[in-house]
Amino acid sequence: MDPSAPSGSSADASASSSSSAVEDLAPGMAAMSLQDRFELLRGIGEECIQEDELMNLLQKKPVPICYDGFEPSGRMHIAQGIVKTINVNKMVRAGCKVKIWIADWFAQLNNKMGGDLKKIQTVGRYMIEIWRAAGMNLDGVEFLWSSEEINNRANEYWPLVMDIACKNNVKRIMRCCQIMGRNDSDELTAAQIFYPCMQCADIFFLKADICQLGMDQRKVNVLAREYCTDIKRKNKPIILSHHMLPGFKEGQEKMSKSDPSSAIFMEDDEAQVNLKIKQAFCPPNVVDGNPCLEYIKYIVFPWFEMFEVVRKEANGGNKTFTNMDELIDDYKTGALHPADVKPALAKAINQILQPIRDHFNNNSEAKILLNTVKKYRVTN
């Protein structure tokens, strides 16, 4: 097996079959009301631009196309692994076809993995394997490699990119550089300045009805809607931006791959998970800016639909929370203490991650991918 090839793996075989399988989603979707489908999709987003357009889309189009994408850039943290799995499965359940854009060329433009495309593609296949093990519903998903798709339809893609570039000035494009994890003070290459024009073009190239990306990608998604105004296109992409999980340290608004202690990674073992959560910022009675509570809200409750606390009778006894509001109320009053929260959170996260660990231990192809990516981490 060649772990650097972008195609030919078991993950790619699943992806190629999914485009036909997704057409069979409509019968299952028919059991849901229009309002139920709307609420399921709307629940994914911290922000939705525009809610009325989303409802109208669901009324008129039986199988809307949702676009998500990622740069294969190394280790996968739990927000990318588990939160994406939760969100994609909701989109599929709501009757959508999900196109996941494996942005290998974009990672190269952004100098990820030293700009080595073969290594980037290996990381991409490793990430797909994680989602498979995590339980992502691949019947409703189509994985598309940006390098292959753009090469195959270059006459369609590049004129679109150039038109977007022509209709925007450098200052407007520079405001979108946050999508690459860059800020105004970074010294950008010309390739990185061109990146937002390409990401904007992706939305139209993939014929996406809904852009389902993080809040950190909001600016380029808004750029796509503004481009529609420029070209007088009536149907604008609906922006469904999900919440960004914070890092474990105080004041960390976003997880950092460069700081392993700031987040749970999909390959972390049980002891690592326990230690990171034990050391996490979790002040008593304080809800805002509390990363442990955010993990519970955005990972544990969507996964298990409950949060189970095991403690001695002297400390209040065992309690199972069935909604986040109840948990927050107890936490604010002190009835629920960080010493209760942290071991319960660690146990829940380890339960979620155990099937992924088992998959990479027991599946020979997955094990090769993981070991190859680990070597990249060392050499890079």
Side-chain angles (χ1 to χ4, degrees), residues 22-321:
V22 76
E23 304 302 330
D24 298 327
L25 295 174
M29 175 201 72
M32 298 180 67
S33 69
L34 178 65
Q35 186 64 32
D36 286 342
R37 294 174 64 207
F38 171 83
E39 290 177 2
L40 187 59
L41 286 173
R42 180 62 187 88
I44 293 171
E46 182 171 86
E47 177 187 63
C48 177
I49 310 173
Q50 291 272 349
E51 288 188 353
D52 57 335
E53 293 177 15
L54 177 59
M55 179 63 83
N56 187 54
L57 172 69
L58 295 176
Q59 286 176 321
K60 293 185 175 180
K61 190 167 184 177
V63 184
I65 295 174
C66 291
Y67 150 73
D68 194 354
F70 70 97
E71 277 188 14
S73 58
R75 303 178 70 185
M76 180 187 280
H77 53 58
I78 198 167
Q80 198 173 22
I82 298 302
V83 175
K84 190 183 291 288
T85 295
I86 291 168
N87 289 343
V88 166
N89 287 352
K90 286 181 178 179
M91 289 186 278
V92 173
R93 199 157 73 246
C96 298
K97 174 179 180 177
V98 181
K99 292 184 177 181
I100 297 184
W101 191 234
I102 311 172
D104 51 353
W105 263 7
F106 292 77
Q108 188 177 36
L109 284 174
N110 211 4
N111 200 36
K112 298 299 174 64
M113 308 304 294
D116 188 320
L117 189 61
K118 286 188 176 181
K119 289 182 178 180
I120 289 167
Q121 289 171 342
T122 301
V123 174
R125 291 176 52 223
Y126 147 81
M127 294 174 121
I128 293 171
E129 204 64 34
I130 286 179
W131 287 318
R132 173 198 304 282
M136 183 179 284
N137 185 355
L138 298 184
D139 285 343
V141 174
E142 184 177 11
F143 291 104
L144 299 166
W145 295 84
S146 67
S147 56
E148 291 184 357
E149 295 299 316
I150 292 171
N151 277 333
N152 290 339
R153 296 160 55 196
N155 61 331
E156 180 182 345
Y157 186 79
W158 292 114
L160 180 58
V161 173
M162 288 191 294
D163 193 50
I164 291 168
C166 288
K167 287 182 169 58
N168 288 279
N169 58 37
V170 173
K171 185 177 180 180
R172 177 69 183 89
I173 296 302
M174 288 284 287
R175 289 205 299 269
C176 294
C177 287
Q178 178 189 6
I179 63 177
M180 300 177 291
R182 311 285 176 174
N183 58 48
D184 294 340
S185 63
D186 290 334
E187 185 175 338
L188 302 177
T189 65
Q192 287 165 334
I193 293 173
F194 206 51
Y195 185 116
C197 298
M198 293 174 63
Q199 185 172 331
C200 181
D202 294 342
I203 296 166
F204 305 101
F205 184 66
L206 297 173
K207 298 179 171 54
D209 301 301
I210 301 170
C211 299
Q212 206 294 287
L213 299 164
M215 286 295 293
D216 59 338
Q217 306 294 302
R218 184 185 189 277
K219 289 182 180 178
V220 76
N221 289 332
V222 171
L223 181 70
R225 288 182 62 90
E226 292 173 352
Y227 175 68
C228 289
T229 301
D230 291 338
I231 63 173
K232 296 180 172 55
R233 171 174 165 155
K234 184 178 179 181
N235 295 325
K236 298 180 179 181
I238 296 156
I239 313 305
L240 201 58
S241 303
H242 65 252
H243 178 75
M244 303 294 294
L245 278 179
F248 273 140
K249 297 180 180 179
E250 183 177 2
Q252 280 187 324
E253 294 183 359
K254 185 179 175 182
M255 295 178 187
S256 171
K257 289 187 178 183
S258 60
D259 182 0
S261 64
S262 74
I264 303 297
F265 290 87
M266 298 299 288
E267 62 198 58
D268 283 347
D269 60 31
E270 187 171 340
Q272 288 172 317
V273 170
N274 293 341
L275 179 61
K276 289 180 181 182
I277 293 176
K278 182 179 180 181
Q279 296 177 341
F281 179 66
C282 189
N285 310 102
V286 177
V287 172
D288 293 340
N290 189 321
C292 290
L293 298 191
E294 294 229 0
Y295 264 63
I296 295 168
K297 179 178 180 178
Y298 292 100
I299 295 177
V300 178
F301 268 115
W303 197 268
F304 295 110
E305 297 183 346
M306 65 176 187
F307 182 68
E308 189 175 14
V309 173
V310 177
R311 58 191 173 185
K312 296 177 181 178
E313 287 296 329
N315 296 328
N318 298 348
K319 184 167 183 178
T320 299
F321 295 91

Side-chain angles (χ1 to χ4, degrees), residues 282-286 290 293 327-334 336 338 341:
C282 189
N285 310 102
V286 177
N290 189 321
L293 298 191
L327 186 148
I328 287 173
D329 288 343
D330 272 15
Y331 196 82
K332 283 181 176 179
T333 63
L336 183 65
V341 167

